[in-house]
């Protein structure tokens, strides 16, 4: 098991340099300048917004080299900021004026559920306008409360310096998450004009996440080492917290030290390469049954940075009752939340796993168990082969995923929408090359395309693929124009089955034997997205035969434009993630 060749997650820490600005202490400056310098100092390279908000600050940002990405909706701006944050490991900034606040708040649901550090800024009318039926304004605070870690008003010039710093601190520390700053002036104009009598202070740890890497307690660590060594059939379940901590390569070292199979949550995909002999796939509700079976047979499950929610545990049926559980999490109140644990380690995933590797005795390898889990994975793969190699027309999504697997270059970022788009990609697209990254919707349909544009802004030199259904793509189709305007050249693969395929079974069940037009509830007229893309000036390729997939992917990789690959697929293909345990 060559550890180097099978490590997937990028080992590189994010660039820690904030763009500190030479600024004479105690020189007064405008709120606009102060915000722009703070963003620059914290390493922000892009902001995503809908006009009109903080125009003064946006003008200053141009001077400082921050790109201003004007989007077609506030939700798309939030999703772009989310994709940017997940890839850059820095907060993503999105902004909207007062009347756009509700739309922006709606866009924070996904980063909140996905634990992503998005900083949302909205304008709000000055106090003199309140309680008098002011145009276009409702209370913002209650809308942002359920989707943020930190939700505050900036009421005065004196508050701006410390609340801006606190925004970065809250977004990046502990479990990352969205924050909201509601600034004065419905388009932030009062804030732009603040006179700030304070220097710009950049706190380097909070320019990125993880901002802090706490270490676990030693006695508990020893207990975990003993429990892992004694277990006969242990499994690691690695989640988004492991990815946030860049712990992938260390988790692979831990797995190899004792031959422990590794399953991942959807957010944890990429912890280990899919061709690693210890990789059993994505576990839970959207999953491979191979991973579910392995976890169901385990006598010990080590959860690393996963929320143990209903998705990763298939409605809390995995691991089975009575299985020993150990948990590592940066948030101590997650330890034991859903499963009684033998021991919990509060700590950063990377640091904690490195400590475990240091203390483990490798003579306790679980060779037989690892071999058994490989047989389970092989059985799953064999069962998928006919679908992966199918020449059927309309195209089967499994075949599409196979072709994508073969073409995806090293360092690719794959951005998946929710529903079947998550299931197809997590189970059928294998990461078999180095440093491939997977980010996915935390559940909100339509997230992936704008998020992929944000991801590309964060990593312009890496190939970025978006995988979405047509239902998901319709949401933010207009952002194709944004992509073209700024040269954000991503490749969007539309699994186009002219319907909300995931919903068809549920609709049929609701109808039962009753007559009626079921299609009204889940079917679209159908569109040629390649033509739409071409009309907007992007590259669009329509693919109706499986033989056309590979050449189209190659053309897309060479293109110097945003690309849409419109793949006509069979709506009757349903992913099989049913648990086999
Ligand atoms: C905001 C939001 N609304 C509704 C849903 C429910 N939902 C999940 S998947 C899905 C269908 C997705 O259709 P499409 O993107 O075309 O993919 P397909 O199922 O056809 O592969 C829907 C409506 C959701 N997840 N999010």
């Amino acid at each position: 098991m060559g550890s180097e060749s099978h490590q997937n997650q990028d080992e590189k820490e994010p660039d820690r340099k904030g763009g500190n600005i030479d600024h004479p202490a105690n020189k007064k400056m405008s709120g606009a300048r102060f915000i722009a310098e703070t963003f620059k100092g914290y390493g922000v390279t892009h902001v995503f917004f809908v006009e009109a908000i903080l125009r003064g600050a946006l003008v200053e940002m141009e001077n400082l080299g921050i790109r201003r990405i004007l989007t077609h909706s506030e939700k798309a701006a939030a999703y772009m900021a989310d994709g940017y944050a997940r890839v850059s490991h820095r907060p993503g900034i999105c902004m909207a004026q007062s009347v756009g606040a509700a739309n922006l708040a709606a866009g924070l649901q996904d980063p909140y559920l996905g634990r992503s550090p998005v900083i949302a800024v909205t304008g709000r009318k000055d106090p003199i306008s309140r309680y008098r039926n002011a145009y276009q304004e409702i209370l913002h605070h209650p809308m942002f409360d359920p989707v943020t870690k930190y939700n505050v008003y900036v009421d005065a010039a004196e508050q701006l310096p410390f609340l801006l710093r606190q925004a970065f601190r809250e977004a990046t520390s502990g479990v990352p998450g969205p924050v909201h700053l509601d600034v004065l002036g419905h388009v932030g104009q009062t804030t732009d004009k603040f006179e700030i009598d304070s220097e710009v202070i950049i706190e380097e740890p909070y320019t990125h996440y993880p901002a802090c890497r706490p270490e676990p307690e030693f006695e508990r660590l020893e207990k975990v080492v003993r429990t892992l060594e004694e277990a006969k059939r242990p499994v690691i379940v690695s989640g988004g917290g492991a990815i946030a901590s860049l712990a992938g390569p260390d988790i692979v070292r831990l797995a190899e030290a004792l031959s422990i199979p590794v399953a991942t949550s959807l957010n944890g995909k990429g912890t280990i390469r899919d061709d690693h002999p210890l990789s059993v796939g994505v576990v839970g509700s959207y999953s491979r049954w191979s991973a579910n079976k392995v976890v169901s047979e385990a006598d010990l499950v080590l959860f690393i940075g996963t929320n143990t929610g209903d998705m990763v545990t298939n409605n809390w049926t995995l691991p089975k009752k009575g299985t020993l559980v150990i948990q590592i999490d940066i948030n101590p109140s997650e330890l034991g939340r859903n499963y009684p644990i033998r021991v919990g380690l509060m700590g950063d995933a990377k640091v904690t796993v490195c400590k475990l590797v240091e203390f483990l005795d490798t003579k306790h390898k679980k060779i037989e168990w690892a071999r058994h889990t490989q047989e389970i994975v092989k059985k799953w793969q064999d069962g998928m082969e006919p679908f992966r190699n199918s020449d059927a027309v309309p195209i089967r999504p499994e075949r599409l995923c196979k072709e994508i697997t073969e073409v995806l270059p090293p360092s690719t970022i794959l951005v998946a929408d929710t529903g079947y788009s998550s299931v197809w990609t997590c189970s059928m697209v294998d990461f078999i090359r180095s440093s491939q990254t997977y980010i996915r919707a935390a559940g909100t349909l339509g997230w992936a395309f704008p998020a992929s544009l944000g991801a590309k802004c964060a990593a312009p030199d890496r190939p970025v693929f978006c995988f979405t259904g047509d239902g998901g793509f319709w949401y933010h189709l207009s952002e194709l124009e944004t992509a073209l305007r700024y040269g954000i050249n991503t490749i969007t693969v539309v699994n186009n089955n002219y319907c909300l395929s995931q919903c068809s079974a549920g609709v049929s069940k609701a109808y039962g034997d009753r007559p009626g037009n079921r299609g009204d509830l889940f079917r679209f007229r159908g569109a040629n997205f390649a033509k739409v893309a071409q009309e907007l000036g992007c590259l669009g390729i329509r693919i109706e035969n499986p033989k056309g997939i590979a050449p189209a992917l190659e053309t897309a990789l060479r293109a110097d434009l945003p690309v849409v690959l419109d793949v006509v697929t069979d709506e009757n293909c349903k992913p099989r993630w049913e648990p086999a345990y």
Side-chain angles (χ1 to χ4, degrees):
M1 287 172 206
S3 68
E4 281 306 307
S5 59
H6 287 102
Q7 286 175 356
N8 186 47
Q9 200 181 336
D10 206 333
E11 276 183 73
K12 269 187 268 138
E13 295 275 332
D15 175 13
R16 295 296 191 233
K17 287 195 292 291
N20 254 320
I21 292 152
D22 230 357
H23 203 282
N26 298 328
K27 195 189 128 207
K28 287 186 184 166
M29 68 174 108
S30 67
R33 181 76 191 174
F34 191 88
I35 291 168
E37 288 201 8
T38 303
F39 284 180
K40 180 73 182 174
Y42 275 87
V44 172
T45 58
H46 294 69
V47 294
F48 307 92
F49 69 102
V50 174
E51 248 277 313
I53 179 70
L54 291 175
R55 286 176 171 144
L58 285 163
V59 170
E60 297 287 354
M61 286 183 218
E62 182 174 24
N63 296 330
L64 295 175
I66 297 174
R67 289 199 84 191
R68 293 107 16 111
I69 308 295
L70 169 66
T71 67
H72 289 284
S73 80
E74 294 80 6
K75 254 172 82 193
Y79 295 164
M80 287 185 203
D82 186 3
Y84 174 92
R86 293 197 207 186
V87 168
S88 68
H89 273 242
R90 293 180 182 281
I93 313 284
C94 55
M95 312 200 293
Q97 75 172 79
S98 179
V99 73
N103 294 346
L104 199 66
L108 291 190
Q109 174 179 266
D110 220 75
Y112 182 77
L113 293 170
R115 284 113 171 98
S116 176
V118 171
I119 297 179
V121 184
T122 53
R124 165 178 49 102
K125 288 197 167 168
D126 291 356
I128 190 64
S129 312
R130 281 184 218 146
Y131 318 120
R132 327 169 63 178
N133 298 337
Y135 180 52
Q136 290 182 323
E137 193 156 280
I138 57 170
L139 261 187
H140 297 169
H141 201 84
M143 298 185 292
F144 283 88
D145 243 8
V147 289
T148 52
K149 284 174 78 177
Y150 183 68
N151 178 21
V152 294
Y153 296 114
V154 183
D155 285 324
E158 292 76 14
Q159 291 179 303
L160 188 64
F162 67 83
L163 287 181
L164 262 181
R165 287 206 304 280
Q166 191 65 19
F168 281 90
R169 193 176 296 114
E170 296 278 354
T172 56
S173 58
V175 178
V179 308
H180 172 226
L181 298 176
D182 210 10
V183 304
L184 275 190
H186 75 288
V187 298
Q189 69 278 28
T190 313
T191 307
D192 267 343
K193 290 195 203 108
F194 277 164
E195 195 178 73
I196 309 289
D197 189 9
S198 175
E199 63 181 312
V200 174
I201 297 170
I202 306 302
E203 294 165 323
E204 194 278 337
Y206 306 106
T207 59
H208 56 269
Y209 69 96
C212 310
R213 290 187 178 276
E215 282 190 15
E217 282 148 293
F218 186 71
E219 303 76 56
R220 295 184 195 182
L221 201 69
E222 278 187 318
K223 204 167 165 189
V224 170
V225 167
R226 271 201 312 278
T227 311
L228 281 172
E229 287 175 349
E230 283 164 17
K232 303 246 169 320
R233 301 183 306 281
V235 174
I236 293 170
V237 176
S238 166
I243 297 288
S245 168
L246 300 164
D250 305 297
I251 291 172
V252 174
R253 285 198 297 129
L254 170 65
E256 289 173 351
L258 290 183
S259 292
I260 304 177
V262 180
T264 75
S265 72
L266 279 160
N267 286 335
K269 184 175 166 83
T271 299
I272 184 169
R273 270 173 50 168
D274 288 304
D275 57 349
H276 191 292
L278 290 171
S279 168
V280 298
V282 173
V283 65
S285 302
Y286 290 177
S287 63
R288 291 176 169 185
W289 67 249
S290 55
N292 289 0
K293 182 150 178 63
V294 169
V295 173
S296 79
E297 290 186 10
D299 65 349
L300 170 70
V301 171
L302 168 57
F303 284 118
I304 305 178
T306 159
N307 66 10
T308 65
D310 51 348
M311 285 296 277
V312 65
T313 62
N314 196 28
N315 247 343
W316 299 289
T317 59
L318 286 169
K320 281 185 173 161
K321 229 176 168 178
T323 310
L324 271 186
V325 172
I326 298 173
Q327 213 177 333
I328 298 172
D329 207 284
I330 199 165
N331 178 0
S333 61
E334 286 303 324
L335 301 174
R337 182 189 286 276
N338 290 319
Y339 292 89
I341 48 175
R342 161 68 64 97
V343 49
L345 297 177
M346 192 283 270
D348 167 70
K350 184 181 180 70
V351 166
T352 305
V353 169
C354 285
K355 288 267 170 224
L356 287 176
V357 175
E358 203 179 303
F359 294 118
L360 278 173
D361 186 341
T362 54
K363 73 170 186 276
H364 298 280
K365 282 190 196 292
K366 331 284 173 186
I367 305 286
E368 273 315 304
W369 164 237
R371 209 166 281 149
H372 172 67
T373 64
Q374 283 160 13
E375 280 162 18
I376 294 173
V377 172
K378 170 92 172 50
K379 206 163 158 199
W380 181 85
Q381 282 165 339
D382 290 348
M384 291 302 134
E385 276 313 285
F387 306 115
R388 287 163 59 81
N389 295 319
S390 166
D391 288 327
V393 177
I395 295 168
R396 288 197 70 99
E398 297 94 330
R399 173 71 189 265
L400 172 59
C401 289
K402 180 199 163 186
E403 301 285 344
I404 292 174
T405 296
E406 283 171 9
V407 164
L408 275 195
S411 300
T412 293
I413 299 159
L414 177 60
V415 185
D417 211 40
T418 192
Y420 280 179
S421 297
S422 283
V423 194
W424 290 127
T425 50
C426 86
S427 62
M428 305 297 302
V429 175
D430 286 338
F431 282 174
I432 54 172
R433 299 191 184 89
S434 59
S435 305
Q436 292 174 323
T437 300
Y438 184 73
I439 61 173
R440 65 166 284 267
T444 317
L445 191 63
W447 172 90
F449 175 53
S452 71
L453 300 184
K456 185 71 183 179
C457 290
D461 298 330
R462 297 176 65 181
V464 175
F465 278 69
C466 167
F467 188 105
T468 175
D470 49 327
F473 194 46
W474 278 119
Y475 270 81
H476 299 291
L477 190 56
S478 53
E479 302 302 339
L480 269 177
E481 187 278 333
T482 309
L484 189 70
R485 186 159 24 97
Y486 295 105
I488 308 171
N489 296 340
T490 59
I491 298 167
T492 303
V493 179
V494 187
N495 177 28
N496 190 0
N497 49 27
Y498 298 175
C499 71
L500 305 167
S501 163
Q502 183 161 3
C503 305
S504 63
V507 168
S508 282
K509 208 166 157 200
Y511 266 92
D513 294 335
R514 285 164 40 191
N517 193 349
R518 294 156 194 234
D520 277 357
L521 302 196
F522 69 95
R523 227 179 264 293
F524 301 125
R525 216 182 126 259
N528 182 327
F529 291 110
K531 275 195 183 158
V532 176
Q534 288 160 14
E535 180 59 33
L536 287 168
C538 302
L539 176 62
I541 304 175
R542 176 96 160 167
I543 304 159
E544 292 176 342
N545 188 296
K547 293 193 174 53
I549 303 171
L553 286 166
E554 296 291 354
T555 306
L557 278 166
R558 286 192 305 269
D560 198 20
L561 281 173
V563 180
V564 174
L565 301 181
D566 185 35
V567 188
V568 183
T569 56
D570 184 351
E571 69 165 86
N572 299 310
C573 296
K574 310 289 179 192
R576 279 156 298 274
W577 75 84
E578 296 80 22
Y581 56 90

